[in-house]
């Protein structure tokens, strides 16, 4: 069983290819916008809708496996780093 499968099952989530792919993308680090996550997931799965990526990100965020960051005036970004209280600063 992969680490991604263990994470999903530990939170009571079904293991699906899109969820595993999104977890893998987020594990690479960074604060990624949905468009970038979708592009990287499509490199792994060939075909996945943007809505499916939004759905996966919503499920992962609710389960505490990802964090949604909403900088003022910018699109939402996601990261795998959870469980701490680090800050995000936006330069102007």
């Amino acid at each position: 069983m992969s680490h991604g499968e263990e994470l999903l099952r530990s939170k009571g989530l079904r293991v699906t290819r899109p969820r595993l792919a999104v977890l893998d993308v987020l594990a690479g680090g960074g604060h990624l916008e949905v468009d970038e996550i979708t592009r990287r997931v499509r490199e792994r799965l060939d075909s996945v809708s943007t809505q499916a990526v939004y759905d996966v990100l919503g499920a992962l965020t609710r389960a505490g496996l990802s964090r949604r960051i909403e900088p003022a005036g910018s699109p939402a970004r996601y990261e795998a780093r959870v469980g701490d209280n680090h800050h995000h600063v936006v330069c102007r």
Side-chain angles (χ1 to χ4, degrees):
M1 182 182 320
S2 73
H3 180 66
E5 288 175 297
E6 289 178 18
L7 283 174
L8 292 170
R9 287 194 172 116
S10 74
K11 298 295 185 172
L13 296 174
R14 285 184 310 113
V15 175
T16 65
R17 291 179 68 228
R19 285 178 178 173
L20 290 171
V22 170
L23 277 175
D24 189 45
V25 167
L26 293 177
H31 301 90
L32 304 173
E33 294 180 16
V34 174
D35 290 343
E36 179 62 18
I37 295 168
T38 302
R39 186 187 66 73
R40 292 183 188 185
V41 167
R42 286 181 179 150
E43 290 174 358
R44 291 164 171 78
L45 299 182
D46 295 326
S47 177
V48 66
S49 70
T50 302
Q51 185 59 52
V53 172
Y54 273 107
D55 292 344
V56 168
L57 288 167
L60 295 178
T61 301
R62 286 189 301 276
L65 295 175
S66 68
R67 179 180 300 174
R68 178 184 168 115
I69 305 150
E70 298 182 60
S74 297
R77 296 173 179 266
Y78 293 84
E79 66 178 340
R81 186 175 165 186
V82 296
D84 62 2
N85 189 23
H86 68 278
H87 299 281
H88 297 95
V89 178
V90 177
C91 295
R92 294 181 186 214

